[in-house]
Amino acid sequence: MRSGFSTRVWLVVFALAAAVVSRPAAADDRQACLEGSKAASAETIAACTRAIQSGDYNDQNLANLYHARGYSWSWTSFSDRDDRALADFTAAIRANPKSGGSLLNRSHIYNQRRDYDRAIADVNQAFEAGLSDYGKRVGYGERGHAYHGKGDNDRAIADFTASIQLNANDSFAIMARGSAYFAKGDYDRAIADYNRVIALDPEYAREYSARSGRAIAYLLKGNFRRAFADVDQGQALSWLATIVFLAALVWLCCRGGARAFGWRSGRTIIEMCEQQLVDLRHTNAALEKIAAAIEKRSSG
């Protein structure tokens, strides 16, 4: 009888000792998880996983662990790292629906997948939860990108403008707003934003082709001199070759007859071709200016 009682006492003692040891271990894992680095991504993810599985954390503390592990997947080379990150950010939001950082990171993944409605919904939820100025800039950028992807350029411009108001030197937001203006056909405002990016951050402008965007905007405005000032001779010749190819294709379409291409009825397609040729006649002056610009640039 005494032996059985002693055994139970020792089991309780061992259980208490294990609990005392496990809690500091879980605390260490939490710290290693939240203070992880790209250089130690595997160790960071392992520490986050142990802390999550310890059962010692809930609500915001648990959300922080999931968020840290979700972000850490971007440091790895796993082919499904985005799926793993999405799952962790979703778990963080489930633990605390006001996890603004996880909402913004998840919206970024949705944007990458062109799931723009979900991206917008996450940003809206993040704004409702409350964001720092930096978080607001990220939110405006992600939501603006989603609106631009949906073709709602007015709302995209409004969001990019709000981001710029928080940081006048935000090259991403200025470049993105320029692209939205371009998509609207507002080439003057697009050029103004491209100019601003080029002056503000030449390296960023070069990486994201601000000069090419400005050149196309000038070209569409009919300002060929400024357009070709922004491109090299190779790009100019490429543009000209494309225009000539399209012109030749339309000419063959009309001269060869629609049936040779297996398209619609002969009368319908020929009428379409003739209309295209009429349109092309209006571009003759433009082609001449392009050729002159190329010749002048190569000789200079």
Side-chain angles (χ1 to χ4, degrees), residues 36-211:
S37 66
K38 183 176 182 179
S41 58
E43 292 82 355
T44 299
I45 291 170
C48 291
T49 301
R50 289 192 299 269
I52 290 168
Q53 293 177 347
S54 72
D56 290 345
Y57 305 102
N58 52 38
D59 301 330
Q60 184 58 52
N61 288 326
L62 183 59
N64 289 341
L65 294 171
Y66 275 118
H67 178 84
R69 189 174 70 176
Y71 187 80
S72 298
W73 291 119
S74 66
W75 298 333
T76 71
S77 58
F78 292 117
S79 60
D80 63 342
R81 58 185 178 274
D82 287 345
D83 292 327
R84 298 187 188 205
L86 182 64
D88 275 343
F89 292 138
T90 299
I93 296 164
R94 189 181 303 116
N96 179 14
K98 294 185 177 181
S99 297
S102 292
L103 285 162
L104 294 179
N105 276 279
R106 190 171 71 172
S107 75
H108 180 72
I109 295 175
Y110 283 144
N111 266 331
Q112 288 180 322
R113 298 181 175 187
R114 300 184 180 182
D115 193 346
Y116 299 127
D117 289 330
R118 285 183 176 176
I120 292 169
D122 272 357
V123 174
N124 290 343
Q125 187 176 337
F127 272 114
E128 290 173 3
L131 295 170
S132 64
D133 281 352
Y134 175 77
K136 289 176 182 177
R137 284 170 49 204
V138 174
Y140 286 130
E142 292 294 344
R143 192 170 66 184
H145 179 85
Y147 280 136
H148 186 40
K150 285 169 63 70
D152 192 344
N153 291 303
D154 288 328
R155 287 186 177 179
I157 290 168
D159 272 344
F160 294 137
T161 300
S163 181
I164 295 167
Q165 288 171 346
L166 290 171
N167 179 10
N169 296 327
D170 188 342
S171 298
F172 164 79
I174 299 169
M175 182 74 184
R177 188 176 67 177
S179 297
Y181 278 133
F182 184 95
K184 276 191 68 177
D186 191 342
Y187 302 126
D188 288 328
R189 285 193 172 96
I191 290 169
D193 276 345
Y194 293 145
N195 288 342
R196 192 170 167 183
V197 173
I198 291 166
L200 181 66
D201 191 344
E203 185 175 346
Y204 182 91
R206 183 166 52 254
E207 182 178 357
Y208 289 93
S209 304
R211 287 187 181 276

Side-chain angles (χ1 to χ4, degrees), residues 274-295:
E274 288 175 347
Q275 181 59 49
Q276 287 176 303
L277 278 176
V278 169
D279 294 338
L280 278 172
R281 289 192 186 100
H282 295 296
T283 69
N284 284 342
L287 289 172
E288 290 174 2
K289 290 180 180 179
I290 291 174
I294 294 172
E295 182 179 357

